[in-house]
Amino acid sequence: SFAGTQALTGGSFELSGGSIHALLGGNGSGKSTMIKILAGVYDADDGQLELRGERLDARAMTPTRARAMGLRFVHQQQAIFPELTVAENLAIGHGFQTGRGGRIRWRTIRRRSREVLDRFHIDADPSLDLGELSPSQQAMVAIARALQDQEGEHESVLVLDEPTASLPASEVDLLLSALKRYAADGQTILYVTHRLREVLQVADRA
């Protein structure tokens, strides 16, 4: 609740591994509030979270705890940097490797970026500015940045908040196809949207 206004109450859902679960509702229904509680951005008034047998009071969620529990987020405002290269955008989420004298090891960063792009089936040159890619490719880079540090294969839960909101219609299907491919490979995805056509295209459960 915010200053006496109840933004979210009684919300509950379960996720199955390797599936796409749509969390849907109209504007103002509490979807983003739920996500920000999970991310530790908003303080919950009450509630429980259980992930792979680990239970936590929702009031104790912080960004650090959310990450430690394997929750990875791509928010509606994706915090990508079109004027930086693809490799630099990925490194922002991982860290810039440095060598002697604190110099950035650009060759290592570009090589690692190429590996991440290949892993997520993104056809892009790490040395290109991100802004040169299509909108759907930029969204996929944001997703790859969130998931790139998984220690085990598909161990995290990817939470996408309205990922197609800023995409032109011609780009939406490209992103949805990529998400279906990631889920088929074992990635668990929570897909937040109010667009029913997208739910029918990609969701295993809503």
Side-chain angles (χ1 to χ4, degrees), residues 78-155:
Q78 294 173 351
I80 54 177
F81 304 93
E83 70 281 4
L84 299 181
T85 67
V86 173
E88 288 168 331
N89 271 273
L90 290 171
I92 285 170
H94 175 73
F96 289 83
Q97 296 98 324
T98 57
R100 186 173 299 173
R103 294 187 179 189
I104 294 175
R105 300 172 64 182
W106 290 111
R107 185 177 298 175
T108 300
I109 287 173
R110 284 191 291 270
R111 183 176 67 247
R112 185 183 182 281
S113 297
R114 179 73 270 165
E115 292 170 355
V116 171
L117 293 170
D118 288 345
R119 190 167 120 213
F120 288 92
H121 310 285
I122 302 171
D123 184 16
D125 186 333
S127 63
L128 285 177
D129 285 350
L130 188 69
E132 297 182 55
L133 303 187
S134 69
S136 60
Q137 286 179 311
Q138 292 180 39
M140 285 186 270
V141 169
I143 291 169
R145 184 176 64 187
L147 295 176
Q148 63 184 326
D149 290 332
Q150 293 187 114
E151 293 180 8
E153 190 170 354
H154 309 302
E155 64 181 4

Side-chain angles (χ1 to χ4, degrees), residues 163-179:
T164 62
S166 60
L167 295 185
S170 59
E171 296 282 324
V172 169
D173 287 345
L174 296 174
L175 178 61
L176 298 183
S177 294
L179 296 181

Side-chain angles (χ1 to χ4, degrees), residues 56-67:
L56 183 71
D57 189 324
R59 293 171 293 184
M61 285 299 289
T62 64
T64 300
R65 283 181 172 160
R67 185 166 186 83

Side-chain angles (χ1 to χ4, degrees), residues 26-96:
N27 290 331
S29 60
K31 304 184 305 295
S32 291
T33 299
M34 173 80 83
I35 296 313
K36 288 177 180 176
I37 288 171
L38 293 176
V41 175
Y42 286 169
D43 294 329
D45 300 323
D46 199 3
Q48 296 287 326
L49 174 67
E50 185 172 345
L51 187 62
R52 290 187 296 274
E54 180 182 356
R55 182 173 293 179
L56 183 71
D57 189 324
R59 293 171 293 184
M61 285 299 289
T62 64
T64 300
R65 283 181 172 160
R67 185 166 186 83
M69 292 182 77
L71 297 172
R72 300 290 183 269
F73 298 86
V74 178
H75 296 284
Q76 189 169 340
Q77 302 299 325
Q78 294 173 351
I80 54 177
F81 304 93
E83 70 281 4
L84 299 181
T85 67
V86 173
E88 288 168 331
N89 271 273
L90 290 171
I92 285 170
H94 175 73
F96 289 83

Side-chain angles (χ1 to χ4, degrees), residues 5-33:
T5 300
Q6 195 72 46
L8 181 67
T9 185
S12 178
F13 63 91
E14 296 180 2
L15 298 176
S16 299
S19 69
I20 300 177
H21 184 114
L23 179 65
L24 63 151
N27 290 331
S29 60
K31 304 184 305 295
S32 291
T33 299

